[in-house]
Amino acid sequence: MKDEVKAAAAAFQFLSRFPVRMNLDFTPELMQKSTVYYPFVGVCIGLILWVAAIVSGFLLPDLSASIVTLVVWVWLTGGLHLDGWMDSADALLSYRSRERMLEIMKDSRVGAMGVIACVLLLMLKASLLVSIIHQPMMMGLAILPLIWSRFFMVYAISRYPSARAGEGLAAMFGNILARYYKQSLGCATVISIVLLGILSLIVHSSNVLYVTQASVLMAFIAVPIVMWVIGRLAADRMSARLGGLTGDTYGALNEGLETVGLLMLTIVMHIAG
């Protein structure tokens, strides 16, 4: 049990700003085991964002509420994944050699392509939040992308080699054990099913306008599947160009797939409406 607590604490300390006060030795073994709890970190961040969206949506116009929610979102993650998104954009959009792209990722400075990619990503996220923030149940469903994007990072760690051959953040995870990947998948699945049950119960008991049980179920099925397909295509492409993945590309995949999930929710709401 003590090892499980340490692994969960490591996941929260690594992926978020949650005040988890525990001195940990971030060994490769602990980093591997912590991946089991990545989806749980996602659902905790999502629940806080759900509350932030409801409160800000009550007090502010949709656009302002969406930006406030997005600010909370970025703060909760410490900008960790955004940093990976920017570094990956600088490297992959430079169309340089593999060695030069890896050098660009290690550079602490952010280039023009990274800034452009970050601005466009945040604008897209904010615009997608605007379309669903006035519907609390759809914001509840917005927790799904946060769960499955973090699971996909675990998949990417287990499926693709490290691009730097023993160096960098990706190397800290080593060759992640298959059981941790399976446990992370189980964690994401169980959390999603519980979330589905809670939201379906709320919709059924309160007759929430514009949100039906069918749309909740559609989102539950469509969001993970589309995120998986897009994630595989993106990871395959990154790995082919870099000779593997890096810590930056894990963060980029997380950011991109969160946005894909929000986009799918918006489409589901439009279809259901």
Side-chain angles (χ1 to χ4, degrees):
M1 180 61 72
K2 187 176 181 180
D3 288 343
E4 295 297 329
V5 171
K6 286 184 177 180
F12 277 94
Q13 286 187 3
F14 184 61
L15 295 181
S16 75
R17 287 184 177 272
F18 285 103
V20 179
R21 308 300 181 189
M22 184 178 293
N23 293 323
L24 299 171
D25 182 12
F26 285 94
T27 62
E29 293 76 18
L30 181 61
M31 293 294 285
Q32 285 192 22
K33 193 172 184 61
S34 71
T35 59
V36 174
Y37 298 95
Y38 279 19
F40 188 65
V41 175
V43 76
C44 290
I45 293 174
L47 289 171
I48 292 177
L49 292 178
W50 193 7
V51 174
I54 292 173
V55 174
S56 61
F58 178 75
L59 298 173
L60 300 167
D62 287 352
L63 178 58
S64 300
S66 298
I67 293 175
V68 168
T69 302
L70 187 57
V71 169
V72 174
W73 193 342
V74 173
W75 182 84
L76 285 172
T77 63
L80 173 68
H81 309 307
L82 274 177
D83 180 68
W85 174 266
M86 289 187 289
D87 287 343
S88 296
D90 276 334
L92 294 168
L93 297 178
S94 70
Y95 299 100
R96 305 290 181 87
S97 67
R98 171 184 177 274
E99 292 73 19
R100 180 54 183 151
M101 286 191 288
L102 292 175
E103 288 178 8
I104 291 172
M105 284 187 178
K106 291 178 69 174
D107 194 333
S108 59
R109 295 169 296 181
V110 179
M113 296 309 300
V115 172
I116 292 170
C118 182
V119 170
L120 291 176
L121 179 79
L122 293 176
M123 288 177 61
L124 180 55
K125 276 190 172 182
S127 67
L128 292 171
L129 286 173
V130 169
S131 66
I132 63 175
I133 200 164
H134 59 285
Q135 297 192 35
M137 291 304 100
M138 292 303 295
M139 282 304 304
L141 283 170
I143 298 174
L144 285 173
L146 280 79
I147 297 170
W148 288 103
S149 64
R150 281 156 183 79
F151 164 72
F152 193 87
M153 285 197 292
V154 181
Y155 171 79
I157 293 168
S158 66
R159 170 67 174 78
Y160 298 90
S162 171
R164 291 199 173 96
E167 298 180 5
L169 178 61
M172 291 181 63
F173 293 95
N175 295 318
I176 189 170
L177 298 178
R179 73 171 184 270
Y180 294 147
Y181 161 73
K182 292 177 181 177
Q183 289 171 4
S184 182
L185 175 59
C187 180
T189 302
V190 169
I191 292 172
S192 297
I193 291 173
V194 171
L195 179 64
L196 171 68
I198 292 172
L199 292 177
S200 296
L201 182 62
I202 293 174
V203 170
H204 177 72
S205 61
S206 61
N207 294 319
V208 180
L209 292 177
Y210 306 116
V211 180
T212 64
Q213 288 181 320
S215 62
V216 171
L217 182 60
M218 188 188 304
F220 175 79
I221 296 173
V223 168
I225 290 176
V226 174
M227 289 176 65
W228 176 267
V229 172
I230 299 299
R232 278 293 304 271
L233 292 172
D236 285 348
R237 179 61 175 164
M238 288 179 180
S239 183
R241 295 189 63 193
L242 297 172
L245 298 182
T246 70
D248 284 327
T249 59
Y250 298 153
L253 286 168
N254 181 82
E255 285 291 338
L257 292 179
E258 282 181 344
T259 308
V260 168
L262 283 178
L263 181 61
M264 281 306 303
L265 284 178
T266 305
I267 293 172
V268 167
M269 188 182 72
H270 178 72
I271 293 174

